[in-house]
Amino acid sequence: MQNKISVKTPIVEIDGDEMTRVMWKMVKEKLLIPYLDLKLEYYDLGLKKRDETDDKITIDAAEAIKKYGVGVKCATITPNKDRIKEYNLKQEWKSPNGTIRAALDGTVFRAPILVKNVPPAVKSWKRPIHIGRHAYGDVYKNCEYRVPDAGKAELVYTDKDGKELFRGTIQDFKGPGVIQGIHNTDKSISSFAKACFTYAYDMKVPLWFGTKDTISKTYDAEFRKIFEDEYKKNWEQKYKEANLEYFFTLIDDTVARIMKTEGGLLWACKNYDGDVMSDMVGSAYGSLAMMTSVLVSPNGFYEFEASHGTVQKHYYKHLKGEKTSTNSMALIFAWTGCLKKRGELDKTPEVVEFAKKLETAAIETVESGIMTADLIKVAEPNPNNRQVYTEEFIDAIRKNLDKKL
Ligand code: NAP
Ligand code: MG
């Protein structure tokens, strides 16, 4: 075995829960530690530890990403009532992803991992469609009210000196109904726009953005305007030189056109659009386990993760001693994404090179027919196809990786 490749700066490693925690350990022990000299700043965000530390560990992990710049995160349980009982929790702790996003402020980019033998459900899609989801405001930070009966609902804005600057009627209700107030800020939209232009430029793909500004002439129109301003001010020249396009159209037109492209673009989505569309795009590319996710902060911090959850059902099987066939692709790509970024920032091309080889080894394993249950179901039929267990899949990738080093 040759010398280990040295990774210069410590990587912030954020451990998680259930089946992904089980796979995380395997990936580290089999695909990373044997090849890399890694310094890890380890944060255990397993639910037990979050409860023990009153969730301080989550804040510490976010602070560590701010210190070192790059982190990688395993999936974690967002507790609900059932989990409080299951883990005997002190309280219903908040979503760790929410806490980390709030601390780093950013945009979540998702991209499918493509393999030749799993054709996308949409025939024309040949290259990845990346999604950039604005992670602040709109319906996720709303104020809503169940209107009990006839009455008037108004939208009122009072400035900081208490002066009323705006009052508009939402609806004169004749009977019961519902109302909702949502907001966003120029600062957040602007950092969303910057993150999208940067990501598309780095990936060398065009940027598409859609809103409903024909109907929402103030709210959605402001998103459109801020993107337009950012483009004109900071990107137009660069995009032209790189032969890249910034394309704005109505959100419904965007959806219709996306179905007919070959992919190979970044789709910037408002918060709700991104929530819904990333799941549609992810499942159309084959499996939730084939979707990577990275949080890009406007301050230059990066957090890589898989976009799926802790795969609870598989974990319960695993606890009963049964074998599972859980797919570790997205977790592996969270690590390779993190290593590539670390290598790029540290100027250590050998680290980037290693990460790329690991990605290729993983993709070629699936393309050779060795895959987990989720993929067997959607892969093109082939006599070489063989369903393997969780650990066997990782072992097969290691064998392929060894051939490349
Ligand atoms: P999930 O973990 O994404 O799993 C949902 C289903 O998708 C699984 O039951 C499985 O389907 C399939 N699946 C997902 N990942 C897979 C993989 N790697 N390999 C094979 N199949 C995979 O969602 P969930 O079960 O609804 O949520 C479980 C926990 O995860 C929850 O406590 C939630 O809070 C948390 N969560 C965390 C994150 C995060 O940290 N980023 C994101 C989402 C959810 P089959 O059962 O049909 O095989
Ligand atoms: Mg969603």
Side-chain angles (χ1 to χ4, degrees):
M1 166 108 223
Q2 78 281 51
N3 285 343
K4 286 187 180 186
I5 299 163
S6 164
V7 182
K8 225 160 95 188
T9 309
I11 283 176
V12 181
E13 177 197 359
I14 305 177
D15 209 345
D17 289 299
E18 300 195 309
M19 202 59 210
T20 39
R21 186 179 181 102
V22 174
M23 292 195 287
W24 189 261
K25 188 159 180 275
M26 290 178 189
V27 167
K28 243 175 77 179
E29 285 175 0
K30 292 178 185 249
L31 301 177
L32 303 170
I33 304 290
Y35 307 97
L36 300 172
D37 181 12
L38 276 169
K39 290 172 273 299
L40 297 167
E41 275 281 308
Y42 180 81
Y43 293 85
D44 181 3
L45 261 59
L47 190 47
K48 210 170 137 259
K49 192 79 185 180
R50 279 182 272 149
D51 197 51
E52 274 169 28
T53 62
D54 292 338
D55 210 22
K56 190 175 162 295
I57 189 92
T58 307
I59 316 265
D60 292 347
E63 287 307 316
I65 295 180
K66 285 190 188 164
K67 178 168 172 200
Y68 293 105
V70 184
V72 58
K73 179 179 170 291
C74 182
T76 45
I77 293 168
T78 298
N80 55 17
K81 301 281 177 279
D82 293 340
R83 299 296 200 167
I84 293 185
K85 256 195 245 148
E86 185 183 351
Y87 285 82
N88 193 19
L89 300 179
K90 293 180 200 158
Q91 69 176 74
E92 197 172 324
W93 303 108
K94 283 196 204 149
S95 149
N97 287 335
T99 303
I100 294 172
R101 268 176 221 159
L104 302 183
D105 175 19
T107 304
V108 176
F109 293 99
R110 295 205 159 152
I113 303 159
L114 299 192
V115 287
K116 288 195 197 101
N117 49 343
V118 179
V122 179
K123 276 192 234 131
S124 63
W125 292 358
K126 303 217 161 26
R127 283 170 289 144
I129 291 173
H130 305 249
I131 293 218
R133 173 184 170 186
H134 186 202
Y136 177 82
D138 295 358
V139 66
Y140 302 87
K141 209 168 183 306
N142 67 1
C143 168
E144 50 182 22
Y145 178 64
R146 162 76 177 142
V147 173
D149 208 341
K152 187 170 171 179
E154 289 180 301
L155 187 64
V156 180
Y157 173 74
T158 318
D159 77 5
K160 58 183 191 316
D161 304 319
K163 191 168 157 216
E164 184 179 307
L165 294 188
F166 178 81
R167 180 176 291 263
T169 301
I170 298 168
Q171 180 69 355
D172 268 316
F173 283 95
K174 307 286 176 252
V178 280
I179 53 169
Q180 176 184 66
I182 58 170
H183 84 282
N184 226 295
T185 65
D186 285 12
K187 182 165 176 259
S188 177
I189 302 167
S190 171
S191 86
F192 167 46
K194 271 190 211 319
C196 290
F197 281 109
T198 309
Y199 182 96
Y201 186 75
D202 288 349
M203 299 296 293
K204 300 279 166 277
V205 293
L207 173 63
W208 286 28
F209 184 41
T211 69
K212 196 72 188 177
D213 61 313
T214 44
I215 299 295
S216 172
K217 290 179 195 299
T218 302
Y219 198 106
D220 275 27
E222 200 56 41
F223 277 80
R224 177 178 183 169
K225 182 175 174 296
I226 288 173
F227 266 70
E228 196 71 46
D229 291 349
E230 174 65 22
Y231 178 62
K232 285 266 183 285
K233 194 168 142 219
N234 296 320
W235 300 97
E236 192 166 22
Q237 195 56 36
K238 281 190 187 162
Y239 268 52
K240 282 200 175 127
E241 278 161 19
N243 208 10
L244 294 173
E245 179 193 29
Y246 167 56
F247 178 60
F248 177 91
T249 182
L250 283 175
I251 182 68
D252 36 355
D253 187 43
T254 314
V255 172
R257 284 169 189 261
I258 287 274
M259 301 307 280
K260 300 201 166 157
T261 61
E262 287 196 354
L265 58 91
L266 170 65
W267 182 6
C269 289
K270 286 179 61 196
N271 209 345
Y272 179 82
D273 297 341
D275 184 351
V276 178
M277 291 304 169
S278 68
D279 283 9
M280 190 195 70
V281 168
S283 87
Y285 276 111
S287 162
L288 281 181
M290 299 293 278
M291 194 85 173
T292 64
S293 185
V294 56
L295 173 70
V296 179
S297 139
N299 306 309
F301 312 129
Y302 296 82
E303 185 211 34
F304 294 83
E305 57 166 359
S307 72
H308 59 76
T310 60
V311 213
Q312 183 182 11
K313 282 198 202 113
H314 294 209
Y315 182 61
Y316 288 165
K317 261 178 85 178
H318 170 82
L319 284 183
K320 280 195 260 165
E322 289 173 40
K323 290 215 169 194
T324 68
S325 182
T326 320
N327 189 341
S328 48
M329 283 293 265
L331 280 189
I332 293 169
F333 274 68
W335 274 100
T336 54
C338 163
L339 287 169
K340 285 194 286 185
K341 182 50 79 180
R342 194 63 274 168
E344 186 192 313
L345 296 173
D346 288 348
K347 303 204 168 44
T348 48
E350 60 284 8
V351 173
V352 178
E353 204 48 42
F354 170 81
K356 285 184 179 162
K357 282 184 181 153
L358 176 50
E359 288 181 354
T360 313
I363 287 172
E364 286 176 1
T365 301
V366 176
E367 290 181 343
S368 75
I370 299 176
M371 50 190 126
T372 43
D374 55 323
L375 291 181
I376 282 278
K377 279 184 246 162
V378 288
E380 277 168 350
N382 188 306
N384 290 333
N385 285 1
R386 185 161 70 86
Q387 182 178 317
V388 290
Y389 295 122
T390 308
E391 190 160 7
E392 272 183 289
F393 181 63
I394 295 170
D395 289 335
I397 294 174
R398 177 161 185 183
K399 239 193 215 161
N400 263 339
L401 177 63
D402 279 334
K403 282 187 221 147
K404 295 186 186 301
L405 296 172

